[in-house]
Amino acid sequence: MTDVQRVEIEYCTQCRWLPRAAWLAQELLTTFEAELTELSLKPGKGGVFVVRVGDEVVWDRREQGFPEPTAVKKAVRDRVAPGKSLGHSDRPA
């Protein structure tokens, strides 16, 4: 784990995905309030919706579809706080 835990959500402004990106940002900030040092929303174009931890892409809509918050929380947790329990989100489906 590095000292800086930065998450970036890049979203398509043409598709009007800001509300979805802002909602996901809120979910991540609530879950990882002690672990994250920064969370940014990055306007993009061309249907982009990508979540990065540092420089690593952990979710890309083009490859994986739109994420459920639980899936993104698990991907972020695995990189910023591997031992952290996500409560009911960790239960198998």
Side-chain angles (χ1 to χ4, degrees), residues 47-50 57-67:
V48 68
F49 197 93
V50 174
V57 173
V58 299
W59 199 275
D60 187 337
R61 181 197 66 82
R62 288 192 178 114
E63 296 174 11
Q64 298 158 285
F66 271 113

Side-chain angles (χ1 to χ4, degrees), residues 77 81-85:
R77 185 265 320 267
K84 183 178 180 80
S85 169

Side-chain angles (χ1 to χ4, degrees), residues 2-75:
T2 63
D3 292 335
V4 177
Q5 297 298 338
R6 180 178 192 278
V7 172
E8 175 186 274
I9 302 172
E10 184 177 4
Y11 65 95
C12 180
T13 57
Q14 298 165 313
C15 302
R16 305 213 181 277
W17 287 339
L18 172 59
R20 186 183 295 254
W23 174 68
L24 184 58
Q26 177 183 321
E27 289 287 315
L28 292 173
L29 287 169
T30 300
T31 302
F32 301 105
E33 61 186 11
E35 292 83 9
L36 297 182
T37 57
E38 181 180 347
L39 191 145
S40 66
L41 298 176
K42 180 179 178 182
K45 295 184 178 179
V48 68
F49 197 93
V50 174
V51 179
R52 294 179 183 87
V53 176
D55 294 328
E56 181 185 1
V57 173
V58 299
W59 199 275
D60 187 337
R61 181 197 66 82
R62 288 192 178 114
E63 296 174 11
Q64 298 158 285
F66 271 113
E68 290 297 321
T70 300
V72 175
K73 285 179 185 181
K74 287 179 181 178

